[in-house]
Amino acid sequence: MTIRILAIGDLANNIVILRKYVKKSTIHLVNFPWEGKGTSIDVNEDVEFFNSLKTVEQVRTINDIKDNFDLCMVVSPAGARIAYLADLNYVWYFVGDAIRAPMFVKNVTDNLVLKQPYYNLNFLERRFYKWVYDNAVACVTWGPELFTHLQKYRKDGTRIDVLAVDTEIFNPDVKPLEQKKEKFTFFSPQRIGLPKGYDIIWKALSLCKSDFELHQVNWYDRKTPEEEQNSQRLLDAIPHQVKLIPMMNREKLAKYYAFSDAVIGQMRIGIGAAVEREAALCKKPVLQYSNPNMRYMIDGKSLSEPFLPKSQDPQELADLIDKIVESKEFREQLAEDEYNFVREMTDPDKAAAEWDDLFVDLSRNYKSIRKDSSSIVIKFRILFFVIANRLHIKKILKMLKHN
């Protein structure tokens, strides 16, 4: 029997990739109408999109199709909100700030560098999102850092450290971008901002002695005024080695990895993310701050990342950048070590198998995608959500009428 999964919302193509490899389940993705194309969401995939940004319309869309599925999966508060209001049994996959900075915590920041709160939510809104978190039938995340955050709020959290990366796109045989290279070229497609450690990167570039370029994708953190101000300060102080380039889809991203000589990743969290994994799979040397205390559980083995540097010292990063530029032997050995590690932790078939097993287990415990709450409970949720968000009474009546 195939488990039919309804996925609501995607971030960084997590669901788009996973659904290519699952075998005991099928995943249909309904995504939010993100504006524009970029490295974070590939809109060229076969994905259904909500045709409205209004929550009432999105809930109605899900209510119209939910009985075609056995279980729901979400990866963001926006997706979880829709699943909760539609009264679904949903699995929540946490991949970043949704668990680092949960919306139900008062004055929460990103736990990294921000001082101002991520959200300006009133008491009712925070109470609503606590219900959204609590009503997930399972909460899943990966890696030691995110799992530590999850355990603060869900003692029944699940950890799947094997990650699904599209190895058909990111691999050592990718053909490079057909573009003239002026000098040794580093590449970084991550967002410019303090959470990624660009203050450290900019300082390190000012200390470098070698000659190179850093091709940096031109996008930046701006979820809060503080983030946008920090990002603008970084943009105003771009080192002379940096060349800003436009955003791109995943296929071109892979070609850019192949074109570059090395990649610079994040310098703050202490663990690798999509950029570092994808680049390593293309067998490019990657510089990324790796906290030696962070360990992954893969096939029953405890593994630490081989990425460098092991500290956030700008001088150490500068020395490593110069060494990568100047030593072919060093960069080839680093690329080999990183490739072997990432290939083991990003086997898409292994990741899909773990998810398939989870979906099968949950489908046995929950016989339907419907949570089957009473109509009074469902209407209360909707009424509470609308009041918390200070919407007009006519919208309240409209939402209640269609449930």
Side-chain angles (χ1 to χ4, degrees):
M1 177 181 175
T2 301
I3 311 301
R4 300 166 301 171
I5 306 298
L6 170 62
I8 305 176
D10 195 8
L11 295 171
N13 299 295
N14 289 283
I15 294 175
V16 165
I17 296 168
L18 182 63
R19 69 178 186 163
K20 292 179 65 173
Y21 295 94
V22 288
K23 294 180 173 60
K24 298 177 184 178
S25 54
T26 60
I27 302 177
H28 176 70
L29 173 60
V30 183
N31 214 346
F32 296 96
W34 310 111
E35 294 182 1
K37 300 179 180 181
T39 55
S40 61
I41 298 294
D42 193 334
V43 299
N44 296 318
E45 297 285 353
D46 180 21
V47 174
E48 180 180 352
F49 282 84
F50 289 114
N51 55 20
S52 172
L53 288 172
K54 295 180 180 179
T55 299
V56 59
E57 299 297 335
Q58 293 169 354
V59 173
R60 184 177 301 153
T61 296
I62 296 303
N63 279 331
D64 287 343
I65 64 173
K66 63 186 180 185
D67 289 329
N68 297 322
F69 302 93
D70 303 303
L71 191 67
C72 179
M73 178 182 185
V74 300
V75 295
S76 69
R81 178 180 67 222
I82 301 303
Y84 175 68
L85 292 174
D87 197 43
L88 307 184
N89 285 315
Y90 54 97
V91 180
W92 195 334
Y93 183 33
F94 293 99
V95 296
D97 287 338
I99 196 61
R100 286 194 190 101
M103 297 178 73
F104 57 82
V105 177
K106 186 177 182 180
N107 296 329
V108 68
T109 67
D110 68 347
N111 294 292
L112 295 170
V113 293
L114 297 182
K115 296 180 176 62
Q116 295 178 0
Y118 243 35
Y119 315 104
N120 183 24
L121 302 182
N122 60 47
F123 170 77
L124 294 180
E125 289 172 310
R126 295 196 304 274
R127 178 67 264 183
F128 172 81
Y129 282 105
K130 184 62 166 63
W131 289 333
V132 173
Y133 276 73
D134 291 344
N135 270 265
V137 298
C139 290
V140 184
T141 192
W142 66 275
E145 188 253 348
L146 290 179
F147 189 64
T148 298
H149 290 299
L150 177 58
Q151 286 182 306
K152 298 175 188 175
Y153 312 110
R154 292 283 297 240
K155 299 304 180 185
D156 60 345
T158 299
R159 177 173 167 179
I160 298 178
D161 278 3
V162 184
L163 297 165
V165 175
D166 196 333
T167 52
E168 295 178 11
I169 296 177
F170 302 103
N171 59 71
D173 299 321
V174 174
K175 292 184 179 179
L177 196 69
E178 294 183 1
Q179 180 174 311
K180 185 179 179 181
K181 190 183 298 183
E182 300 294 337
K183 57 181 67 175
F184 192 99
T185 302
F186 286 90
F187 175 47
S188 181
Q190 62 191 350
R191 294 189 310 276
I192 298 171
L194 293 183
K196 299 293 186 181
Y198 271 83
D199 51 333
I200 299 169
I201 295 171
W202 274 193
K203 178 61 176 177
L205 293 182
S206 71
L207 299 172
C208 289
K209 300 174 182 177
S210 55
D211 186 26
F212 60 87
E213 286 184 341
L214 169 59
H215 290 193
Q216 168 66 53
V217 173
N218 189 13
W219 66 320
Y220 53 92
D221 288 325
R222 52 183 178 182
K223 291 192 289 292
T224 68
E226 182 190 14
E227 275 193 332
E228 189 152 12
Q229 291 170 7
N230 289 337
S231 298
Q232 189 58 57
R233 281 194 286 268
L234 290 166
L235 289 167
D236 291 341
I238 289 180
H240 70 274
Q241 301 101 324
V242 177
K243 175 183 177 183
L244 295 178
I245 60 175
M247 294 179 72
M248 62 195 73
N249 63 23
R250 287 190 298 155
E251 284 73 14
K252 187 172 181 180
L253 182 61
K255 291 180 180 293
Y256 226 109
Y257 285 133
F259 163 79
S260 66
D261 297 297
V263 172
I264 293 181
Q266 64 82 23
M267 294 293 157
R268 179 137 281 129
I269 300 175
I271 58 173
V275 165
E276 293 82 12
R277 295 190 293 269
E278 293 163 355
L281 286 174
C282 294
K283 233 170 188 180
K284 293 296 173 176
V286 181
L287 292 179
Q288 167 234 308
Y289 165 54
S290 177
N291 185 333
N293 296 320
M294 298 283 190
R295 302 187 70 84
Y296 298 82
M297 294 302 298
I298 309 293
D299 291 336
K301 297 179 292 186
S302 176
L303 304 176
S304 62
E305 296 178 328
F307 293 101
L308 298 173
K310 297 298 183 182
S311 80
Q312 296 171 305
D313 179 7
Q315 185 62 63
E316 182 181 352
L317 175 58
D319 292 342
L320 286 167
I321 290 173
D322 287 338
K323 191 171 182 180
I324 278 188
V325 174
E326 296 164 357
S327 173
K328 179 180 179 182
E329 181 181 3
F330 173 72
R331 61 177 178 263
E332 287 182 349
Q333 185 60 57
L334 182 62
E336 184 71 24
D337 293 343
E338 293 170 342
Y339 172 75
N340 290 334
F341 169 78
V342 172
R343 186 175 57 176
E344 189 166 4
M345 75 166 293
T346 60
D347 185 320
D349 291 315
K350 286 184 180 179
E354 291 203 41
W355 278 99
D356 271 334
D357 289 344
L358 178 64
F359 292 147
V360 169
D361 288 343
L362 289 173
S363 68
R364 288 172 180 158
N365 295 330
Y366 303 93
K367 303 301 183 182
S368 167
I369 194 172
R370 287 176 175 260
K371 191 175 285 288
D372 284 335
S373 302
S374 69
S375 60
I376 293 176
V377 169
I378 296 172
K379 290 181 178 181
F380 171 78
R381 290 177 187 172
I382 295 171
L383 182 63
F384 192 95
F385 169 72
V386 176
I387 291 175
N389 284 271
R390 301 173 297 278
L391 296 184
H392 195 275
I393 188 64
K394 288 184 178 180
K395 294 186 178 181
I396 298 174
L397 296 174
K398 183 178 181 182
M399 290 185 76
L400 293 176
K401 181 180 178 181
H402 289 91
N403 280 272

